[in-house]
Each structure stands twice: as C-alpha cells, then as structure tokens.
Amino acid sequence: MPASAAKPQPSSQLPPSLSPSSAPQVQALISFLENDAQPAIVLDAQYTILAGNAAYRQQFGTDARPFLGQKCFRVSHGYDAPCDQSGEHCPMAQARALRAPDRVLHVHHTPRGPEHVDVELRPIMDEHGEIVAFVERLNTLRHASPIAGQAQLVGRSPAFNQALSAVQRIAPSRLPVLLLGESGTGKELFAQAVHEASTRAQEPFVIVDCSGLPYDLFESELFGHEKGAFTGAHVRKVGLVETAHGGTLFLDEIGDVPLALQVKLLRLLESGTFRRVGSVETRQADVRLVAATHLPLDAMVRDGRFRKDLFYRLNALPIRLPALCERPGDIPLLVESFLRQQEPGGKARAVTAGAMARLVGHAWPGNVRELRNVIARARLFADGGAIREEHLPEELHAATGPSGPGPVLSKPPPPSVVMRSREVSDDALSELAADRRMSRSALAARLGVSERTLYRRLRRLQLP
C-alpha cells in the first residue's frame, strides 16, 4: 500500500519504563520533530521506535508495515538482532559508546523495496548527562540503488557502499573532489552522484574529457577565446568553465592535462578566476570541480609529470572507487541491470547458473565497462532467451578455481532470484555452504546479506 494512501499511525508511543522526569523531555522532542521536513524517528536505548514524524510516516510508514513499538533493526533490515550483531555497523552502539552522533549508509527495506539510506543518529541527554533517547534522521539516496535497473549506479556490496557513503558526506562541501579508480569503475557516474547530492544539483553538470582534447585546443575549450585570438578564431567562444557556471565541472582523466596548462587549472582552483584566450580581462568562475583519473598522480608528481601544488589542491577530498573484483556480490545486480537495458537485436532475458558462475568468477580487469560489453555481446547470440556459458568470451572459460579447471564459483542465483538468510533453514544453509566451489561472497549475494552477516551465522552453526 502506498504511504500516501495509508491511514496514519499515532505519532508516538512512550513506553511505561520511561522515567517520569524524562517523559516530558522526550514528548517535547517528538513534538519538535513532527514538522521537520526530513524523515526522523525517536528511539529508546532498547532500539524501540517511540515515534516517527510526518515525513517519516509519509516515506517509510504504512498500515501494512507498522513501526511504533517495533525494533528499528527489524523495521529497517528485517533482522532479529541489532545491526552490530548481524554483520552491519550499528550507529546506536557507536553513539552510545562515544556519547556523540554517528552516521552510516545502510540498505533499508522500505515500502518501495530496498533503498540506500544515509542514517544519522544522535543521543539526547537530560540535565544530568544521561541518555534518555536517540533521534535518527534518514535521507534516501536517489542517485544509486541496491536493486537492478533502478538507477545508473547499482550495488549493495560493502566496498560500493563505502564509496557511496563518501559521496554523501563530501557532496555538500565546496572543496574539489578527486575520484581515484581503475578504468571502467564508473567515475563519471560517481561524479554525477556528487553533483546530484550537492546544493548545485539544479545547475549544469559539464564534462571535460581531458584525454580527448588536443593540446592546442585544450585551453580554448576550457576557458574560451576572444575573436581573433588565433587563426580560425572568427567569433568569441564561451568555454566549458563558463558553461558550468553555478554547477559542477567534471575533469575526466585529469592526469592527461598538459603540464603547461596545469598552472591555469591551479589558478582556477586557488582564486576562482580565469582568462579567455586572447583576453586580458580576468573573469570570475563559480564552479565546483570534480576530477577523476586512473593514473597514479602521486607517482607522476615524483616524476615531474604532474604539478605538486595542483595535486595537493585536488587531493582535498579523494574517493577511491572499488574495482569490480572487490565487489563480486554486485555482479548479478549489474548483469540484470544490463539485461533490462535491451538494445535492438538483444534477446536474452536471463542468465543460466553456469554462465553466472563464470561471470562472478572472472577477474574483470576492465571492470564494469568490460562486464557491460560482455553482456551486450552475449545477448546477441542468446537465441534461446538465456545467456549460457558458450555465449561468453573465451577468456571467461579459462578461469580456474583452487580445485582445478572450471569456474571459481558455481550456482549463484539467477539475477532475479535472491533468497533471504532468515528464510533459509540451518540444514539448507549447511548444504549450500558444503559446496566448496561457491565462494562466501557468492553465497552472501545469493542470500541477500552482507558477508559479515553470513560469517556470523556460519560460526553460530559451526560451519566452515
């Protein structure tokens, strides 16, 4: 049932165990939060939801999904125990220990399905310094999704979520951002996520391909030129810096910027000013700079191929993007997303278990870009409607596991089928874990849980 069609729950449910001196303070806090535009809930120290404001009820609460009096970890995750006992980071445990706010990116189960939610939890103390309640504010991310096909950035692995969390934290800043990652890891998509999560989201997002601009045109493309500035400059041209005014300028592969032009980029970063080619007029630039590279800029600085001062100016907020081999549990999600983006001639709608095992077991030196190209090719040959092992490139058949030839992993789920750990009996889990050809990351992906959650349950059952 959509949240807008649901009957509203009572706004609060104070437990009888709350001390008489604390009850008025908590009730005042609930009343204060009621008209807050950001979804928020109030919790007691036992993880019980005491209240949810109007914004929370609209986004997350329905009659079919009651939350008052429920444990937060059950409502948000479906867990039977707190997050820190289920393989996740628990902000309440950290906030209680530090007596200070804590923030984490989680995948929450919502009326719309799983979503990435940025969670900030603050302890509320009385006049004696005792914690009487906790306030949890929730911000749903719209530029990424843990569900296939719901956004351009797709994933739910710990490595992916760590990069996504860094994006959320740095996006409101005005400082430049440096995205570091191998080719094909989605640097442009992460740059756009920084833009969309910032206060400049409604302004232009301008991409500059630094590796594709000839040296003699680079300065003109970036800063513009005046009429007659050089041969062929018949009219005045506005550069990409001015085009991005008020928004974000994304310099892709900044390591390829000629050394002679790096000083002009430094001036833009330091003073926010530039000059068009052929002009003596200094112009002001209002842009947020996001740069990306797959090159080791620190090594290039030592070799004299990249300016040290520019590197340290860019490196204020670095974000390392994970390679695809660091997030194998996301491969089924990515494959399903690519299958939904059918191109003319593509017939495949599914992937067999054997083919998925090959995909999950491959090292993917070309990362997400290579995976996308493999799926695009395979679905053109999949006349039966499903991609099979023989439709995959030869290099995927050469993968070997620890026990000899064959895929490193086997029998991961079809992309559209994911079990839940709590729905799998101990006997069934024992049988799944006995398949030594399946890695723990693949098993965790099949169960729809983190690897840490899986490890905890395996240890409880004394399974390897």
Side-chain angles (χ1 to χ4, degrees), residues 223-226 236 242 267 272-285:
F223 301 117
H225 62 250
E226 297 292 341
R236 171 185 288 177
E242 288 183 81
R267 183 187 303 120
T273 62
F274 68 98
R275 286 199 298 265
R276 292 175 180 163
V277 178
S279 173
V280 295
E281 179 186 359
T282 299
R283 309 181 73 86
Q284 197 72 29

Side-chain angles (χ1 to χ4, degrees), residues 349-390:
R349 298 290 178 181
V351 179
T352 65
M356 184 62 72
R358 299 285 183 181
L359 294 169
V360 176
H362 187 54
W364 299 110
N367 295 294
V368 178
R369 182 184 294 117
E370 182 188 3
L371 174 62
R372 183 181 62 230
N373 292 340
V374 165
I375 296 302
R377 176 190 180 278
R379 64 188 176 195
L380 296 176
F381 291 88
D383 296 328
I387 294 175
R388 301 189 300 275
E389 292 181 70
E390 58 265 31

Side-chain angles (χ1 to χ4, degrees), residues 235-412:
V235 294
R236 171 185 288 177
K237 177 180 178 178
V238 173
L240 296 175
V241 170
E242 288 183 81
T243 303
H245 183 79
T248 302
L249 184 69
F250 174 47
L251 300 179
D252 195 13
E253 296 303 345
I254 195 169
D256 293 331
V257 173
L259 193 61
L261 296 178
Q262 291 176 18
V263 66
K264 299 189 177 183
L265 277 180
L266 180 63
R267 183 187 303 120
L268 178 67
L269 281 169
E270 292 285 2
S271 64
T273 62
F274 68 98
R275 286 199 298 265
R276 292 175 180 163
V277 178
S279 173
V280 295
E281 179 186 359
T282 299
R283 309 181 73 86
Q284 197 72 29
D286 176 20
V287 294
R288 170 62 170 307
L289 188 66
V290 178
T293 183
H294 73 284
L295 298 173
L297 294 186
D298 51 350
M300 294 176 66
V301 169
R302 291 193 296 271
D303 295 342
R305 292 178 292 146
F306 201 86
R307 291 182 63 97
K308 181 188 295 186
D309 44 10
L310 178 58
F311 170 70
Y312 287 116
R313 192 69 178 84
L314 287 171
N315 203 40
L317 296 174
I319 300 178
R320 181 185 171 275
L321 306 185
L324 187 54
C325 63
E326 299 176 59
R327 39 183 295 219
D330 288 341
I331 290 178
L333 293 175
L334 292 166
V335 170
E336 186 173 2
S337 295
F338 297 149
L339 289 178
R340 292 184 181 184
Q341 300 165 13
Q342 285 285 343
E343 297 176 356
K347 302 174 184 178
R349 298 290 178 181
V351 179
T352 65
M356 184 62 72
R358 299 285 183 181
L359 294 169
V360 176
H362 187 54
W364 299 110
N367 295 294
V368 178
R369 182 184 294 117
E370 182 188 3
L371 174 62
R372 183 181 62 230
N373 292 340
V374 165
I375 296 302
R377 176 190 180 278
R379 64 188 176 195
L380 296 176
F381 291 88
D383 296 328
I387 294 175
R388 301 189 300 275
E389 292 181 70
E390 58 265 31
H391 300 140
L392 300 177
E394 183 64 32
E395 56 266 26
L396 270 71
H397 293 272
T400 57
S403 58
V408 177
L409 314 171
S410 69
K411 298 183 180 179

